[in-house]
Amino acid sequence: MQIERPNVTLIAGVDEVGRGPLVGDVVTAAVILNPAKPIVGLADSKKLTDKKRQLLAIEIKEKALCYAIGRCSSSEIDELNILQATMLAMSRAVEALSTVPEFVFVDGNRLPKLAMPAQAVVKGDSLVAEISAASILAKVARDDEMIELDARYPHYGFAGHKGYPTKAHFAALEQYGAIDEHRKSFKPVQRVLALSGKE
């Protein structure tokens, strides 16, 4: 599928990581690539190995015209809901760019509130280089945060499952309860809190 690109110079791509996990921030990235410094191998971050993502993230940070990370905390997710929190985190990433883009491609089928023209692209992380770059930066940033959280709470296995609802995560939740970073509005976490009487 060919995406029609607008006839402007400064195009940003935006993507998010972390809508599905039960813990931690939803993390977004916005990237404006530099056409004079092409990056080979950009793809949907989910289709890359961890090592390849790490290497590409370094290259993107070195070669992009600018990039920024946006986020919404687990408490903001609980307050707003995950969709609204994701949209807000995307807006924050674009607003944090040091250069204002003329146009923004956003992964998915919804647009956050932005000050410039934008287009939502389903499967954009595979179709638009700027979104691929954003997906890689967001994924690496969030994975790194899960590894940090794992160091603080080693019983939960965050470095392995990255906060997603796996059997190991459910078992840890039931055994040790929820931590502050857990998303209390998500049903599996609610269930554990209800059983422990900590709602």
Side-chain angles (χ1 to χ4, degrees), residues 7 22 27 36-37 59 63 66 79-81 83-84 115 138 141-142 149 159 165 167 173 189 192 197:
N7 189 22
L22 307 177
V27 178
K37 296 180 180 176
E59 192 177 354
K63 291 183 174 179
C66 61
E79 191 183 322
L80 297 169
N81 80 41
L83 176 62
Q84 297 308 319
R142 193 176 192 286
L149 201 61
K167 277 184 183 172
L173 258 176
V189 182
V192 169

Side-chain angles (χ1 to χ4, degrees), residues 97-130:
L97 288 168
S98 57
T99 301
V100 178
E102 297 164 276
F103 188 88
V104 180
F105 280 118
V106 178
D107 186 57
N109 59 2
R110 291 172 188 262
L111 288 175
K113 285 182 182 154
L114 296 170
M116 65 288 296
Q119 180 184 338
V121 183
V122 174
K123 293 193 166 60
D125 43 13
S126 302
L127 299 168
V128 178
E130 289 85 354

